[in-house]
Amino acid sequence: MFDRAVPGARSGWTRRLRAFAGNVSGGSGIEFALIAPVLIMLLFGIFAFGWSMNSTSSVRYALEASARSLQLNNTLTQADIQAVATQKLKALGLKNVNVTINTDPASGGFRMAHVNASYAFVINFPYFSDYQINYTTSVTVPLVGG
């Protein structure tokens, strides 16, 4: 006859709300969806930084090879050294490396040559502005004779 609320009985909405709040299935999927972009960006950042370190090592290797060529042949010019370095770097897949030579005046029977290289490595991620890292390295070799 009369619908009386029974003490302790829950209405349909309250039951559904409690059942939804207590359900944890899919929670880890949502957590992964929130964290995954950050982890992926971190992974790409680590990869890009490692690649830049590899490029720096390659530039250093080419610079040392150029300095050895200069040490063996003191008459090489700036253009010759740049060509030696460019040839080595092209084999390694690097471009736009600037190589310069500075020679000190003779002192004690030999001169010192400073071979310098500068290189800009650009890290570019989609949806972010490019980030440029400038590297400079130097090798000093004695030039005996000449």
Side-chain angles (χ1 to χ4, degrees):
M1 315 215 165
F2 294 105
D3 281 339
R4 286 192 272 163
V6 179
R10 297 184 182 167
S11 69
W13 286 104
T14 307
R15 241 179 306 142
R16 288 184 189 146
L17 185 61
R18 288 190 186 263
F20 180 75
N23 189 355
V24 293
S25 65
S28 60
I30 292 173
E31 290 173 4
F32 178 75
L34 292 172
I35 300 298
V38 175
L39 292 178
I40 291 171
M41 289 300 295
L42 181 66
L43 181 66
F44 280 135
I46 290 169
F47 177 75
F49 186 73
W51 188 255
S52 73
M53 290 292 104
N54 180 43
S55 297
T56 302
S57 176
S58 299
V59 169
R60 178 73 181 189
Y61 165 74
L63 189 65
E64 289 172 355
S66 302
R68 277 188 227 106
S69 298
L70 179 63
Q71 196 172 19
L72 294 174
N73 185 0
N74 293 346
T75 60
L76 292 177
T77 63
Q78 172 83 28
D80 295 333
I81 295 297
Q82 180 75 37
V84 170
T86 302
Q87 179 185 9
K88 295 279 186 192
L89 292 169
K90 190 181 285 185
L92 298 171
L94 297 173
K95 304 174 193 170
N96 301 328
V97 178
N98 186 23
V99 178
T100 58
I101 306 170
N102 298 321
T103 306
D104 294 342
S107 173
F110 62 92
R111 299 176 297 152
M112 296 298 282
H114 307 280
V115 184
N116 304 309
S118 59
Y119 174 65
F121 185 84
V122 178
I123 299 174
N124 49 3
F125 287 119
Y127 309 111
F128 289 97
S129 60
D130 292 348
Y131 184 73
Q132 182 172 330
I133 303 172
N134 297 316
Y135 293 107
T136 303
T137 187
S138 176
V139 175
T140 302
V141 294
L143 301 176
V144 181

